[in-house]
Amino acid sequence: GYTRDTSFLAMVVDIVQELKQQNSNLVYVCDPVMGDKWNGEGSMYVPKDLLPVYRDKVVPVADIITPNQFEAELLTGRKIHTEKEALEVMDMLHAMGPETVVITSSDLQAPLGNDYLIALGSHRKTKADGTKMTQRIRVESPKVDAVFVGTGDLFAAMLLAWTHKHPNNLKVACEKTVSAMQHVLQRTIKSAKAQAGEGNKPNSAQLELRMVQSKKDIENPEIIVKATVL
């Protein structure tokens, strides 16, 4: 999650390592919140000295990471212009430690068109005989024209839950995660527009995620977004 402090990050690493010593089955999800792209230009909204701590200390102890495209580029030092380059960047991130890498959003062109946002996922498992097996997927979800707070937290939490339920099927885990997100966002935008009144733009308070109202969709989402296996 979001922090601006390197010593706090270092403490997170210490705690994760200590907990994993006590329970080797513990799963740590890291959302390396550092920045994003606006109109194609990326910029960091945390101090630059957090990048090496994320790259060298935090990511190596994570089981699952959920960077956006800009954060994935920061962590690897590689720019992404194509899906092929995105897959290569995810391989580089796997090599740093995490078994599961999900680039939560990107500015890549979606096959379904400009109204869709692409997320990419990669799950790498080492089988008993030592060979590595990688499952890669693409998810295209409809864009929602509003700025929400907390979507990254909700995504990371649900990805943890659904990968726990479907440990060897990233496709199903991502379909359930993204579908639940869509249910929450659509309910939120509908409610916010009703509160704002016709012709008015909803404010940030009205756009607060309708989590409680979406309990059933979070627990058992109807699959409305399908993933493509690459």
Side-chain angles (χ1 to χ4, degrees):
Y2 178 78
T3 180
R4 301 182 60 83
D5 186 67
T6 53
S7 62
F8 179 85
L9 272 187
M11 190 177 289
V12 167
V13 173
D14 287 344
I15 292 167
V16 170
Q17 287 174 324
E18 194 175 315
L19 290 172
K20 283 194 170 192
Q21 279 173 354
Q22 293 170 32
N23 177 6
S24 59
N25 294 321
L26 190 88
V27 174
Y28 169 44
V29 179
C30 167
D31 185 5
V33 179
M34 291 183 284
D36 209 342
K37 288 190 177 188
W38 289 271
N39 304 321
E41 281 300 307
S43 66
M44 290 180 74
Y45 42 59
V46 299
K48 287 189 169 43
D49 60 355
L50 264 72
L51 172 57
V53 184
Y54 270 117
R55 184 187 60 223
D56 304 333
K57 297 204 169 105
V58 185
V59 171
V61 298
D63 301 280
I64 301 172
I65 57 168
T66 58
N68 59 34
Q69 179 181 332
F70 178 62
E71 289 157 349
E73 290 174 342
L74 283 176
L75 288 168
T76 58
R78 283 276 307 274
K79 287 275 189 238
I80 296 171
H81 307 98
T82 63
E83 188 169 277
K84 181 173 177 289
E85 289 177 346
L87 298 179
E88 288 166 1
V89 162
M90 289 198 289
D91 282 345
M92 291 170 76
L93 291 168
H94 279 310
M96 291 180 183
E99 269 194 354
T100 302
V101 177
V102 178
I103 296 179
T104 54
S105 62
S106 70
D107 50 19
L108 296 173
Q109 179 66 42
L112 288 175
N114 292 335
D115 294 334
Y116 288 80
L117 192 68
I118 280 191
L120 295 163
S122 180
H123 176 66
R124 179 166 292 174
K125 198 92 183 141
T126 306
K127 295 199 288 195
D129 62 2
T131 56
K132 289 191 189 318
M133 186 184 74
T134 307
Q135 182 191 26
R136 291 171 165 151
I137 53 131
R138 180 203 311 124
V139 186
E140 297 173 76
S141 52
K143 289 179 181 174
V144 183
D145 185 23
V147 177
F148 303 96
V149 173
T151 49
D153 300 317
L154 179 59
F155 187 96
M158 288 197 301
L159 187 66
L160 172 62
W162 291 118
T163 50
H164 179 69
K165 293 260 190 192
H166 306 281
N168 294 309
N169 197 335
L170 186 62
K171 179 181 187 288
V172 170
C174 284
E175 285 174 346
K176 289 190 174 180
T177 298
V178 177
S179 292
M181 295 278 309
Q182 281 295 317
H183 289 303
V184 173
L185 294 181
Q186 296 299 343
R187 181 173 286 108
T188 300
I189 195 82
K190 188 177 171 188
S191 168
K193 281 179 174 173
Q195 279 185 32
E198 201 165 330
N200 299 320
K201 209 174 160 88
N203 61 34
S204 56
Q206 291 162 339
L207 285 166
E208 187 173 327
L209 295 179
R210 300 300 189 273
M211 301 283 288
V212 175
Q213 299 85 338
S214 304
K215 182 175 182 286
K216 283 183 181 166
D217 289 319
I218 289 169
E219 290 174 342
N220 187 21
E222 179 198 342
I223 304 293
I224 53 172
V225 179
K226 286 284 197 184
T228 306
V229 176
L230 300 174

